[in-house]
Amino acid sequence: MRTETGPAPASSALGSRFARVRALSTALVAPLSDADATIQSMDDASPAKWHLAHTTWFFETFILRDHVPGYRLFDDRFPFLFNSYYEAEGSRHARKQRGMLARPSLAEILNYRNAVDQALLAALPDLPPQVQTLVELGCNHEQQHQELLLTDILHHFSVNPLESAIWPGAPKVPVAMPGPIGWIEGQAGVVEIGAPSPTSQAFAFDSETPRHTELLHPHAIADRTITNGEWAAFIADGGYRDPRHWLSDGWSWVQAEGIEAPLYWRQDDGVWTRFGLDGRRGIDPAAPVTHVSFFEADAYASWAGARLPTEFEWEAAATGHDPLGGNQLDAAGPVEPRPSSGGPAFFGDVWEWTGSAYRPYPGFKAAEGAVGEYNGKFMSGQFVLRGGSCATPRGHLRAAYRNFFYPHQRWQFTGVRLAKDL
């Protein structure tokens, strides 16, 4: 993470932000029973109550334990249970066995959150500026987990044959299909990429730094993402059966896993439906396609006679667009990509796969200590996504933001924007 972002936020403003972020996490799990919050449907996902506890452990460990004299841990057993991957913090419970933690209960985890919240808010006015920046990091860390919380809950419920809805769905309003993709000529030549200098007050993760130059060749980028209707045409044209469009690893994945459509799609009597947090419903052909892997995104681009943008092309195109705009997470409730309301939109709805490997920028240095493990250790074998999604908390995004996943993963709200060479 980036801890030197200029002056620390005023403690009153930071306290309000902390309280809002923490309250949203609690609201997201309000419909869940203890059993709902305990299950783990796959190794990539985590139980809802684990997310609630891990984000609390982060604040308790790196703020209260390390910087508040006399603070005593809420429960000495919790660091082993709720440390995620920080080697410097010692041994931990195996990730793939998080769903075995029937205890502590959801109620106990909520009590843990409340105790830590009260202790941190009481200590906040006396924390030095460098520690207040760690609180800001913790808020951004929790916002990442809010998105993971929603996508993990969706996956947990998708494997239950009942396919229960978590929240009632919004009424469907007919929307006209978007016209053909428009192409925006991108910048060419040397451009500046990455988060602003450390003197800026804007938060950024360390993987977004240092700001540096990149050379862009003549190209164009699509003015919108690919829709469900366009993806259905790819399927109908044999897109999942034609190896010509697939990377070798991607074709092996399709064959081994029997992949025939985006995750959560199903065809009944010739009609495509999808499962969401509002249950199973017909796909909206005008809405952005989502829950597709990098392998699928790359194959679609090949089929369409285009390619995926580089992350630098994407950032150059998105700079100047409002990161607070678009369909993002504002409150607890069903989330799904929505049809475009017109005009180029680079933020919200679906994370957009790029063709760029997740690697450090020139001059990157991880922070000292355990928090230095936040991003740098994962810079291998993953691809960058940009733009955020309908499950990303509003206010969490910026043009320089880099998300990253392995090329086969698709349980997040991931979609596709095309690019082409000029």
Side-chain angles (χ1 to χ4, degrees):
M1 86 277 122
R2 184 175 172 205
T3 57
E4 295 183 6
T5 55
S11 60
S12 59
L14 182 58
S16 297
R17 169 160 163 71
F18 171 81
R20 288 194 305 271
V21 169
R22 299 286 283 172
L24 178 56
S25 297
T26 304
L28 291 175
V29 302
L32 304 184
S33 68
D34 188 272
D36 293 334
T38 299
I39 60 174
Q40 180 180 20
S41 53
M42 63 172 175
D43 290 354
D44 286 335
S46 294
K49 68 183 184 183
W50 187 91
H51 284 293
L52 296 175
H54 166 70
T55 50
T56 304
W57 168 86
F58 189 96
F59 285 111
E60 182 180 48
T61 299
F62 299 124
I63 312 299
L64 298 177
R65 184 200 67 183
D66 289 354
H67 298 286
V68 177
Y71 178 79
R72 296 182 61 183
L73 295 179
F74 180 85
D75 190 312
D76 292 340
R77 301 168 297 175
F78 282 9
F80 177 81
L81 295 181
F82 302 126
N83 175 10
S84 54
Y85 52 71
Y86 295 89
E87 299 289 347
E89 288 298 321
S91 59
R92 56 203 176 276
H93 188 71
R95 176 173 182 168
K96 63 182 180 180
Q97 294 181 343
R98 290 172 184 168
M100 303 299 290
L101 297 176
R103 303 293 179 89
S105 67
L106 177 58
E108 290 174 295
I109 294 302
L110 293 174
N111 287 338
Y112 174 40
R113 288 177 65 85
N114 184 58
V116 168
D117 289 357
Q118 291 187 30
L120 193 144
L121 288 171
L124 189 58
D126 298 320
L127 295 177
Q130 67 271 23
V131 180
Q132 290 194 24
T133 61
L134 286 175
V135 177
E136 179 63 31
L137 169 66
C139 289
N140 279 269
H141 168 255
E142 181 142 351
Q143 287 180 308
Q144 289 181 314
H145 276 271
Q146 287 166 348
E147 182 159 10
L148 287 166
L149 178 63
L150 284 171
T151 51
D152 289 356
I153 290 171
L154 173 58
H155 193 271
H156 299 336
F157 276 76
S158 76
V159 301
N160 186 324
L162 296 179
E163 293 192 320
S164 301
I166 314 305
W167 289 283
K172 291 294 184 181
V173 178
V175 176
M177 288 292 294
I181 287 174
W183 294 97
I184 304 168
E185 184 171 350
Q187 295 184 57
V190 176
V191 297
E192 288 197 341
I193 294 295
S197 69
T199 58
S200 168
Q201 294 190 33
F203 175 86
F205 289 110
D206 60 354
S207 60
E208 302 168 44
T209 64
R211 190 163 175 83
H212 65 289
T213 58
E214 295 283 348
L215 176 63
L216 301 186
H217 298 282
H219 69 282
I221 191 166
D223 64 351
R224 61 170 174 83
T225 55
I226 298 303
T227 65
N228 288 322
E230 289 165 329
W231 201 273
F234 170 64
I235 297 173
D237 195 46
Y240 282 90
R241 301 190 302 272
D242 189 345
R244 291 179 302 162
H245 302 306
W246 294 81
L247 297 170
S248 177
D249 286 348
W251 185 244
S252 296
W253 172 76
V254 164
Q255 298 294 99
E257 301 297 328
I259 307 298
E260 298 179 337
L263 186 63
Y264 308 132
W265 280 35
R266 189 175 75 206
Q267 193 174 46
D268 297 311
D269 298 324
V271 177
W272 284 110
T273 63
R274 59 85 179 138
F275 179 72
L277 292 166
D278 56 354
R280 182 160 293 280
R281 311 182 81 180
I283 66 164
D284 184 342
V289 70
T290 191
H291 300 301
V292 294
S293 67
F294 171 84
F295 290 141
E296 291 167 283
D298 186 80
Y300 182 93
S302 173
W303 174 79
R307 62 172 174 81
L308 299 180
T310 70
E311 64 166 317
F312 309 126
E313 291 169 345
W314 190 97
E315 184 174 329
T319 298
H321 289 264
D322 183 7
L324 295 175
N327 176 23
Q328 300 175 41
L329 179 66
D330 293 303
V335 296
E336 67 172 325
R338 295 199 296 255
S340 171
S341 58
F346 285 88
F347 296 95
D349 281 310
V350 293
W351 285 101
E352 301 171 19
W353 285 107
T354 74
S356 298
Y358 180 57
R359 292 290 295 148
Y361 286 165
F364 170 81
K365 292 182 179 179
E368 296 293 331
V371 291
E373 299 183 52
Y374 197 93
N375 283 312
K377 65 193 287 182
F378 300 109
M379 292 175 171
S380 174
Q382 307 197 62
F383 282 83
V384 173
L385 302 99
R386 295 296 194 114
S389 81
C390 52
T392 306
R394 197 177 304 277
H396 184 61
L397 294 172
R398 54 203 162 269
Y401 196 111
R402 307 172 79 196
N403 200 355
F404 51 94
F405 286 105
Y406 290 102
H408 69 281
Q409 292 176 317
R410 57 183 192 155
W411 89 109
Q412 294 296 310
F413 287 95
T414 49
V416 186
R417 184 187 298 268
L418 300 178
K420 62 181 181 180
D421 297 317
L422 294 180

